[in-house]
């Protein structure tokens, strides 16, 4: 062996024998009440306060309550993300809608990093802006009143000036109306968009073909809007959901997505892949469209609202779905590859829920869910208070507390009160006979097809 070879061996041996020393962080887990926490990846079970070495890229903490107890959430420091969310049953009112709480959508309208809202009150044709002032307070102002049956909203920076503009489908006229943002959350009418052989009821905006021009996905149909919701649904003809591509503000019908009438549609675009969620009232289905495939993710009566969002911050897109009657607001958690969980019920009121949107309305770092109850003429949101499973991916020391509370004893009232039926004096009139008829028509249509 030469001197050069010997020197090389010594250097190599020295390098191997002196490892790189790193200080692993710790995860301190505190338990309040009676339950346990399982650290899934580390395969450790904590039945009392414990400390884990945080040397994994991901630690999923799963809380499990003892018999007679409930897990109520994580506190102390905040989890990086979660697997599903814990949503409060106590709602916070956003405002009223004298013409019926039809639609709402979330966006930062004045660039202050707070989630604001835009709403539609149907029968008085009013569109309002609710600017988030922090601390759960909103400043409401009217954008326009007396529109002819406004049905859908979208936010998009049309003039590329760095702020979101408002788009409204005015079903009565067949236009989509654009209101430009001055940057402070004040809006002024700019122009009407019309589409050949299409009467937009719901729509969404995205650059479908990556040409830096905004395209419209439109659900169009003909229907009688002189009565209530059942009148509209039973009179629907010529439904089609279709892309209309932009060529210098002229629009040309392109790819057809479906022949279903959608009360609400939403788009999520990621890595140039577009996902579409559609609330299809005729068949009572919430459907996902992606890469030419249709997947039903939720079923209910009078399917009305659908929105995308990642409520548990786990990187998988979730869906918020509203059904008019039986009235239900559901969250469906994304599991990847177009797969979703079974519906998780948020609320089932006596009146019909319609609107759907996600946003952090109280600035606590959690994504909340907002809706509208049409006949009660009110918009409100449910705060997310924690995650079901706590996912920690930070490399720093962290301390979390799993809180368990005693479960309430179930009791049966001696004189149960039946829910008051919804009023038939608005577009949310009784759908019982309508849904039976739609079920019969759907079955026969499928037999024919």
């Amino acid at each position: 062996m030469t001197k050069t070879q010997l020197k090389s061996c010594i250097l190599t041996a020295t390098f191997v024998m002196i490892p790189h020393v790193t200080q692993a962080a710790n995860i301190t887990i505190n338990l309040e009440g009676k339950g346990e926490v399982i650290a899934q990846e580390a395969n450790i079970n904590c039945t009392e306060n414990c400390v884990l070495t945080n040397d994994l890229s991901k630690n999923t903490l799963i809380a499990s309550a003892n018999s007679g107890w409930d897990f109520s959430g994580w506190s102390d420091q905040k989890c990086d993300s979660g697997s599903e969310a814990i949503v409060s049953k106590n709602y916070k009112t956003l405002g009223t809608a004298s013409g019926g709480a039809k639609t709402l959508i979330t966006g930062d309208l004045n660039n202050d990093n707070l989630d604001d809202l835009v709403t539609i009150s149907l029968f008085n044709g009013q569109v309002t802006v609710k600017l988030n002032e922090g601390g759960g307070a909103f400043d409401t102002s009217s954008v326009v009143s007396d529109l002819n049956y406004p049905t859908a909203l979208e936010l998009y920076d049309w003039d590329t000036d760095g702020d979101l503009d408002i788009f409204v489908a005015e079903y009565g006229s067949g236009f989509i109306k654009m209101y430009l943002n001055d940057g402070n959350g004040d809006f002024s009418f700019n122009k009407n968009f019309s589409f050949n052989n299409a009467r937009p009821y719901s729509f969404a905006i995205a650059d479908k073909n990556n040409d830096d021009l905004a395209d419209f996905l439109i659900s169009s149909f003909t229907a009688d809007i002189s009565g209530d919701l059942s009148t509209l649904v039973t009179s629907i003809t010529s439904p089609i959901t279709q892309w209309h591509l932009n060529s210098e503000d002229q629009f040309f019908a392109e790819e057809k997505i479906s022949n279903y009438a959608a009360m609400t549609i939403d788009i999520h675009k990621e890595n140039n892949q577009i996902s579409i969620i559609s609330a299809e009232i005729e068949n009572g289905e919430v459907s996902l469209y992606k890469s030419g495939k249709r997947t039903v993710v939720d079923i209910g009566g009078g399917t009305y609202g659908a929105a995308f969002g990642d409520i548990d911050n786990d990187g998988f897109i979730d869906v918020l779905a509203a059904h008019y009657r039986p009235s239900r607001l559901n969250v469906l958690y994304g599991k990847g590859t177009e797969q979703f969980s079974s519906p998780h019920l948020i609320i089932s009121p006596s009146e019909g829920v319609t609107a759907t949107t996600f946003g952090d309305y109280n600035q606590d770092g959690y994504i909340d869910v907002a809706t509208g109850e049409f006949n009660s003429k009110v918009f409100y949101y449910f705060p997310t208070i924690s995650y079901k499973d706590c996912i920690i991916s930070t490399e720093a020391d962290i301390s979390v507390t799993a809180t368990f509370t005693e479960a309430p004893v179930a009791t049966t009232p001696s004189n149960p009160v039946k829910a008051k039926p919804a009023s038939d004096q608005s577009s949310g009139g009784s759908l019982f006979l309508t849904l039976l008829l739609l079920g019969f028509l759907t079955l026969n249509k499928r037999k024919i097809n």
Side-chain angles (χ1 to χ4, degrees):
M1 180 181 291
T2 66
K3 291 183 178 180
T4 301
Q5 289 173 325
L6 179 61
K7 182 178 180 181
S8 176
C9 290
I10 294 171
L11 289 173
T12 302
T14 302
F15 176 78
V16 171
M17 293 175 63
I18 303 177
H20 177 67
V21 178
T22 59
Q23 180 64 46
N26 291 324
I27 302 174
T28 301
I29 301 174
N30 303 305
L31 280 68
E32 291 186 0
K34 296 184 178 180
E36 62 183 18
V37 172
I38 298 173
Q40 182 173 269
E41 289 80 6
N43 196 26
I44 295 174
N45 187 6
C46 296
T47 57
E48 56 186 21
N49 296 349
C50 63
V51 178
L52 306 180
T53 301
N54 186 12
D55 55 1
L56 300 174
S57 60
K58 173 184 174 184
N59 289 275
T60 304
L61 308 181
I62 303 173
S64 178
N66 289 357
S67 177
W69 291 72
D70 290 330
F71 173 61
S72 57
W74 301 93
S75 58
D76 205 352
Q77 291 177 263
K78 190 173 179 292
C79 309
D80 295 312
S81 60
S83 176
E84 304 182 1
I86 298 176
V87 180
S88 172
K89 298 299 182 183
N90 299 316
Y91 67 84
K92 307 289 185 181
T93 300
L94 291 167
T96 59
S98 59
K102 172 69 175 68
T103 304
L104 79 169
I105 193 169
T106 300
D108 182 2
L109 302 177
N110 53 356
N111 293 316
D112 62 355
N113 296 316
L114 299 179
D115 281 337
D116 309 308
L117 292 141
V118 186
T119 69
I120 287 178
S121 177
L122 181 64
F123 287 127
N124 58 358
Q126 186 173 44
V127 176
T128 62
V129 163
K130 299 181 183 300
L131 294 180
N132 196 332
E133 297 183 315
F138 291 83
D139 179 35
T140 300
S141 61
S142 177
V143 175
V144 61
S145 298
D146 300 323
L147 291 183
N148 187 1
Y149 210 87
T151 52
L153 292 167
E154 180 64 296
L155 297 173
Y156 195 90
D157 183 7
W158 186 267
D159 50 6
T160 64
D161 63 350
D163 49 54
L164 295 172
D165 306 307
I166 294 176
F167 296 77
V168 185
E170 187 181 35
Y171 185 74
S173 69
F175 293 130
I176 291 179
K177 308 177 80 68
M178 179 171 69
Y179 298 84
L180 293 182
N181 191 344
D182 69 354
N184 298 311
D186 292 319
F187 296 84
S188 57
F189 174 75
N190 181 264
K191 67 182 298 184
N192 290 321
F193 294 96
S194 60
F195 304 86
N196 291 333
N197 302 315
R199 187 181 183 185
Y201 186 94
S202 62
F203 71 101
I205 303 176
D207 180 6
K208 178 180 184 291
N209 52 0
N210 300 312
D211 62 355
D212 295 325
L213 295 176
D215 308 306
F216 284 79
L217 176 64
I218 294 174
S219 180
S220 169
F221 53 82
T222 301
D224 181 359
I225 57 175
S226 64
D228 59 16
L229 182 61
S230 61
T231 300
L232 182 146
V233 173
T234 54
S235 66
I236 289 175
T237 59
S238 305
I240 183 172
T241 298
Q242 186 173 24
W243 280 102
H244 294 255
L245 298 190
N246 188 346
S247 176
E248 298 181 352
D249 289 2
Q250 298 295 313
F251 295 89
F252 301 91
E254 197 230 15
E255 180 187 2
K256 183 180 75 172
I257 300 301
S258 77
N259 284 118
Y260 297 114
M263 296 292 99
T264 308
I265 49 179
D266 195 12
I267 286 175
H268 175 72
K269 186 175 181 180
E270 185 176 11
N271 299 324
N272 289 327
Q273 293 288 314
I274 290 179
S275 300
I276 301 163
I277 200 72
S278 177
E280 298 164 351
I281 200 165
E282 290 180 287
N283 52 28
E285 295 172 342
V286 176
S287 302
L288 174 75
Y289 294 88
K290 186 175 183 180
S291 303
K293 179 183 177 183
R294 177 178 184 264
T295 304
V296 176
V297 300
D298 198 13
I299 300 174
T303 301
Y304 213 101
F308 282 128
D310 185 4
I311 190 173
D312 51 3
N313 196 35
D314 66 351
F316 296 119
I317 199 70
D318 309 314
V319 170
L320 183 63
H323 302 279
Y324 192 89
R325 185 172 294 160
S327 191
R328 292 184 294 115
L329 183 69
N330 294 329
V331 169
L332 300 104
Y333 294 99
K335 301 300 181 183
T337 62
E338 291 80 64
Q339 299 296 312
F340 290 85
S341 71
S342 58
H344 289 244
L345 182 67
I346 301 297
I347 190 175
S348 181
S350 60
E351 301 294 338
V353 291
T354 49
T356 46
T357 191
F358 291 97
D360 181 6
Y361 306 115
N362 54 5
Q363 301 86 56
D364 64 353
Y366 291 109
I367 301 300
D368 311 311
V369 297
T371 189
E373 203 170 316
F374 192 91
N375 291 329
S376 294
K377 302 177 181 178
V378 63
F379 291 107
Y380 49 85
Y381 76 94
F382 292 92
T384 295
I385 56 178
S386 188
Y387 299 126
K388 179 181 176 184
D389 298 337
C390 177
I391 298 176
I392 297 172
S393 53
T394 181
E395 296 179 355
D397 285 345
I398 188 170
S399 176
V400 294
T401 299
T403 301
F404 304 92
T405 56
E406 290 189 78
V409 178
T411 60
T412 302
S414 56
N415 295 301
V417 179
K418 294 181 67 176
K420 179 181 177 181
S423 169
D424 287 337
Q425 296 177 356
S426 70
S427 73
S430 175
L431 286 179
F432 180 73
L433 293 177
T434 300
L435 295 176
L436 289 177
L437 175 60
L438 289 176
F440 174 77
L441 292 174
T442 300
L443 288 173
N444 278 275
K445 182 178 179 181
R446 289 176 176 169
K447 288 179 181 179
I448 292 172
N449 292 339

